[in-house]
Amino acid sequence: MDVLLRGGPGDGHVVRGGGENVLWQACLYEVTSEVALGQGRDLRVYRHRPDCCERHRRGSQDKCE
């Protein structure tokens, strides 16, 4: 299934994924109840978790790994 990423460095990307979380590069995205148009179709929206981005050096906190 393809999903739409919102927020963070992956904002606007459409990626393959599903379930509770999607990992894009070093950042975690969580599922929402939102659906948005992406690449001409309705896609489930996943929101960025800024506290789980490796570049913020906080990936080991809050069970992000």
Side-chain angles (χ1 to χ4, degrees):
M1 160 171 75
D2 289 340
V3 301
L4 179 63
L5 304 180
R6 291 286 185 197
D11 188 46
H13 281 79
V14 174
V15 298
R16 303 266 312 144
E20 296 280 322
N21 301 297
V22 170
L23 186 64
W24 182 83
Q25 294 189 357
C27 293
L28 186 66
Y29 288 76
E30 290 182 320
V31 68
T32 68
S33 60
E34 298 173 58
V35 175
L37 188 62
Q39 295 183 347
R41 58 200 161 132
D42 288 335
L43 300 171
R44 172 73 65 197
V45 174
Y46 280 68
R47 289 263 172 218
H48 180 242
R49 286 264 320 255
D51 60 324
C52 290
C53 244
E54 199 172 281
R55 71 181 220 208
H56 294 289
R57 299 176 189 221
R58 296 170 62 185
S60 63
Q61 295 175 4
D62 195 26
K63 300 180 184 175
C64 295
E65 295 184 289

